[in-house]
Amino acid sequence: MLVSLHTVGAATIDKNYSKSSAAYYAKMWAKGYNTAGYYKSNLDCTNFASQCIEQGGKRRSSKLPSYEDVRYWRPHSATWENATYFKKAATNSKGFKRVVCAGKEISSLNDKQKNAYASLIYKMIEPGDVVQYGYSSNEIKRSQVSYDKGKSSKGFDTLLMAQHTSNMLGIMLHDY
């Protein structure tokens, strides 16, 4: 069970970053693979989030000295395809200019508290941003991309999410 939610806001990655382009790509490719432009990896959620971020305008690193070097973000690196390393790169990189990390233990919250927390996240994150989930701030397990805003099954304002690994579109943050 995932007990902590962390968000990486990619809103101002580069001065020419387009959240709408990242969100459009997420919506377009959530249920399939863009193998003409990218590779498919096994546990593909962060690879997919990285593709969305790049399609929004974030420039990849030109070199890769080692797979796990958090100073570089590019395909076939831990920072591109591993959720924990992606968060480390976003937290430590000059290339991600705004990072919102809102870790909260959610396993012990009641439904009212969970909905209040999801509503707070809703206000902080916009379409084109990445939301990550994990057991702790050091062990991130899932990356999703917000592509739109909508209503949850209980009528709350919520983010609509896209993801890979289990390729899905229309996941509602409140319901997830």
Side-chain angles (χ1 to χ4, degrees):
M1 173 187 294
L2 299 174
V3 294
S4 186
L5 179 139
H6 302 272
T7 59
V8 177
T12 56
I13 287 175
D14 289 323
K15 111 176 144 171
N16 296 321
Y17 185 74
S18 167
K19 288 194 240 185
S20 62
S21 294
Y24 177 80
Y25 185 89
K27 187 175 180 179
M28 181 176 200
W29 289 103
K31 292 187 175 184
Y33 295 94
N34 178 5
T35 54
Y38 297 97
Y39 62 97
K40 177 183 171 187
S41 62
N42 285 337
L43 300 173
D44 200 46
C45 65
T46 305
N47 176 32
F48 175 66
S50 290
Q51 291 174 30
C52 295
I53 297 298
E54 183 175 57
Q55 290 299 310
K58 171 150 177 53
R59 296 163 69 141
R60 62 173 76 173
S61 302
S62 59
K63 60 182 177 174
L64 181 61
S66 74
Y67 179 76
E68 295 177 347
D69 193 327
V70 297
R71 296 173 298 167
Y72 302 93
W73 177 80
R74 61 172 288 117
H76 303 289
S77 70
T79 56
W80 182 280
E81 57 191 30
N82 177 286
T84 299
Y85 279 91
F86 179 92
K87 180 185 177 272
K88 287 178 184 180
T91 303
N92 297 318
S93 172
K94 294 177 185 174
F96 290 85
K97 294 180 183 170
R98 179 176 67 90
V99 177
V100 179
C101 293
K104 186 164 188 84
E105 296 294 327
I106 59 174
S107 62
S108 62
L109 300 180
N110 63 37
D111 286 346
K112 184 177 180 180
Q113 292 169 320
K114 287 177 186 175
N115 286 326
Y117 185 59
S119 294
L120 173 67
I121 298 298
Y122 172 84
K123 293 174 186 171
M124 294 171 29
I125 299 299
E126 299 177 3
D129 288 346
V130 174
V131 175
Q132 293 189 297
Y133 308 87
Y135 297 107
S136 71
S137 62
N138 295 321
E139 190 180 353
I140 306 301
K141 295 293 184 187
R142 159 100 41 221
S143 299
Q144 295 178 329
V145 179
S146 173
Y147 71 89
D148 205 353
K149 293 189 174 193
K151 293 281 185 190
S152 74
S153 61
K154 295 181 181 177
F156 294 102
D157 290 331
T158 194
L159 296 165
L160 300 177
M161 310 301 290
Q163 73 177 31
H164 269 198
T165 301
S166 299
N167 296 8
M168 298 174 74
L169 179 69
I171 301 162
M172 295 181 195
L173 181 64
H174 275 76
D175 296 342
Y176 192 75

